[in-house]
Amino acid sequence: ETGVTQSPTHLIKTRGQQVTLRCSSQSGHNTVSWYQQALGQGPQFIFQYYREEENGRGNFPPRFSGLQFPNYSSELNVNALELDDSALYLCASSQDRWTEAFFGQGTRLTVV
Amino acid sequence: AQSVTQLDSHVSVSEGTPVLLRCNYSSSYSPSLFWYVQHPNKGLQLLLKYTSAATLVKGINGFEAEFKKSETSFHLTKPSAHMSDAAEYFCVVSDPSGTYKYIFGTGTRLKVLA
């Protein structure tokens, strides 16, 4: 059984660009949540996908968007990147919405 | 609304001495509570979870936590610290209102001195 995998592990983007981060959920998991962890802070909830539908959203602007595919993998897209978007982005999958979440290693995004 | 407060941003202990990381929670519901550990440049690893069963929860690597409803606390302990325990620790409460999203504390950085 493979765990949660995220790609890429690191990337650097220029302010104003767009970025797509990817997450493969653990086998048998139908729920994916994304979190943003700024330096020195705890992760903040961005949104959750459950069975390919967005199931809830945190306090993030619409330029943060996502998708979940039929195999339950997921993408996080961020448009019009800002310097403050620099952070570790964590994907977590769970067997269902109310079960414990398993986290990937994260994608470190640096916006310059 | 659900929230957690980690009372110490930094804790230093000597190797072989006990560890205590403090967490208070606020919840309108019977909470699900978790402790996660994050080693440098790594993702989050689940240490233990409380989901309304036994109030004393045992986790991995010798860690345990006790749920105290009267004190709204969920402190993490370990009898004897090891150098490999040096990391950031997060107390987490799950919000049951639809998404069961995780609400994280601000973290406690544990330093273990030789």
Side-chain angles (χ1 to χ4, degrees):
Chain A
E1 180 181 288
T2 58
V4 180
T5 58
Q6 293 186 242
S7 62
T9 54
H10 297 81
L11 75 166
I12 300 174
K13 289 287 188 179
T14 302
R15 190 171 47 183
Q17 285 188 315
Q18 179 266 343
V19 69
T20 297
L21 311 182
R22 295 178 175 82
C23 172
S24 293
S25 57
Q26 194 163 317
S27 177
H29 289 191
N30 61 28
T31 302
V32 171
S33 301
W34 286 91
Y35 292 82
Q36 180 196 65
Q37 185 178 17
L39 200 61
Q41 298 183 23
Q44 299 289 317
F45 175 74
I46 303 174
F47 45 55
Q48 181 186 84
Y49 279 84
Y50 171 66
R51 296 183 181 272
E52 302 181 59
E53 298 286 332
E54 185 178 293
N55 186 52
R57 189 177 185 90
N59 189 26
F60 281 81
R63 58 189 186 85
F64 285 78
S65 63
L67 283 173
Q68 189 178 32
F69 300 99
N71 66 355
Y72 300 135
S73 65
S74 178
E75 286 183 354
L76 164 65
N77 299 291
V78 187
N79 293 322
L81 284 166
E82 301 177 358
L83 296 179
D84 285 348
D85 295 332
S86 296
L88 180 68
Y89 288 85
L90 294 162
C91 168
S93 77
S94 50
Q95 194 167 19
D96 222 313
R97 290 168 296 159
W98 54 85
T99 57
E100 71 188 65
F102 294 84
F103 286 82
Q105 297 290 80
T107 294
R108 172 75 62 187
L109 171 65
T110 302
V111 182
V112 297
Chain B
Q2 278 59 244
S3 66
V4 289
T5 301
Q6 292 184 244
L7 300 171
D8 307 291
S9 57
H10 293 82
V11 169
S12 291
V13 300
S14 296
E15 190 175 22
T17 65
V19 175
L20 170 64
L21 305 183
R22 299 182 295 164
C23 173
N24 287 351
Y25 71 90
S26 173
S27 178
S28 307
Y29 308 87
S30 180
S32 292
L33 293 161
F34 308 80
W35 276 98
Y36 280 84
V37 62
Q38 186 175 39
H39 291 276
N41 300 312
K42 300 288 187 182
L44 293 161
Q45 181 184 21
L46 178 67
L47 282 177
L48 50 80
K49 61 180 179 180
Y50 167 78
T51 54
S52 75
T55 56
L56 183 62
V57 182
K58 294 188 182 299
I60 62 171
N61 301 334
F63 285 95
E64 62 182 38
E66 186 171 8
F67 174 74
K68 292 186 176 180
K69 186 175 181 179
S70 60
E71 299 176 10
T72 62
S73 69
F74 189 58
H75 300 335
L76 181 70
T77 61
K78 183 174 180 177
S80 176
H82 191 273
M83 296 297 289
S84 61
D85 295 328
E88 188 88 19
Y89 291 79
F90 291 98
C91 182
V92 179
V93 65
S94 174
D95 180 354
S97 55
T99 64
Y100 297 88
K101 68 184 180 186
Y102 282 8
I103 298 167
F104 286 78
T106 51
T108 298
R109 181 163 298 277
L110 176 65
K111 186 174 182 179
V112 182
L113 308 171

